[in-house]
Amino acid sequence: ADLPPKPVRLGLCAACHGETGMAQMPGAPNLAGQRLDYLRKALQEYRDGTRNVPLMRTAIGPLNDAELDQLARWYSAQTPQPQAAAHP
Amino acid sequence: ADLPPKPVRLGLCAACHGETGMAQMPGAPNLAGQRLDYLRKALQEYRDGTRNVPLMRTAIGPLNDAELDQLARWYSAQTPQPQAAAHP
């Protein structure tokens, strides 16, 4: 009920992180319920290259600050879902 | 019931990330239930400086691979707790 509007750019992120922030791919972190301040900073650092992850820079390089903020709010507002335990 | 043994070095992490992976400090991410592969890689990258976060490098620089692995398993096995919504 308290969810922010779905970001226009969500599809780009959802391929790996899921629409609700539960990762869909090995190597991708869960984002559901992550702290908003952390997500905002991480997105800015991926975009400017401080966090040097080429895939992320390619994905969000074209996004503006408002779009990054929408994405951070969306994922932070999601509730983490239980997952099957993975203990490789 | 499926929790791994509590890592000897947990206190170092818990000051900011909490014993159960729910962040205690602004800027620190939640770790509870995060994907194991992601946590392992992140810890290695903080230790070797690929992720250049001086506080993290200071904190885990002295830890060996087995200790990093224990910490990754511990936090990945935790269940995320609901938090008050933060929408600053």
Side-chain angles (χ1 to χ4, degrees):
Chain A
D2 198 22
L3 280 183
K6 193 178 279 199
V8 175
R9 303 289 200 154
L10 184 61
L12 195 70
C13 313
C16 297
H17 297 286
E19 280 227 349
T20 61
M22 301 308 290
Q24 306 292 306
M25 299 270 285
N30 297 327
L31 303 177
Q34 188 52 278
R35 287 168 65 106
L36 181 56
D37 60 350
Y38 180 81
L39 291 181
R40 282 184 168 137
K41 184 157 181 278
L43 284 167
Q44 288 161 0
E45 292 185 348
Y46 283 128
R47 190 179 57 180
D48 71 20
T50 303
R51 281 178 74 165
N52 183 21
V53 178
L55 186 149
M56 282 298 294
R57 195 168 192 180
T58 301
I60 64 169
L63 305 199
N64 63 34
D65 288 348
E67 290 169 324
L68 294 191
D69 194 67
Q70 284 168 13
L71 291 165
R73 287 175 179 274
W74 172 264
Y75 279 122
S76 183
Q78 305 299 317
T79 301
Q81 300 304 310
Q83 295 190 106
H87 297 297
Chain B
D2 199 20
L3 280 183
K6 192 178 279 198
V8 176
R9 303 289 201 155
L10 184 61
L12 195 71
C13 314
C16 297
H17 297 286
E19 280 228 346
T20 62
M22 302 307 291
Q24 306 294 306
M25 300 269 285
N30 297 327
L31 302 178
Q34 187 53 275
R35 288 169 66 107
L36 181 56
D37 59 349
Y38 181 81
L39 291 181
R40 281 184 170 139
K41 184 158 182 278
L43 284 168
Q44 288 161 1
E45 292 184 349
Y46 283 128
R47 190 179 55 179
D48 71 19
T50 304
R51 281 178 75 166
N52 183 20
V53 178
L55 186 148
M56 282 298 294
R57 194 168 194 181
T58 300
I60 64 169
L63 275 54
N64 63 34
D65 289 348
E67 289 170 324
L68 294 191
D69 193 68
Q70 285 168 13
L71 291 164
R73 286 176 180 274
W74 172 264
Y75 279 124
S76 182
Q78 305 299 317
T79 302
Q81 301 303 311
Q83 292 186 301
H87 296 297

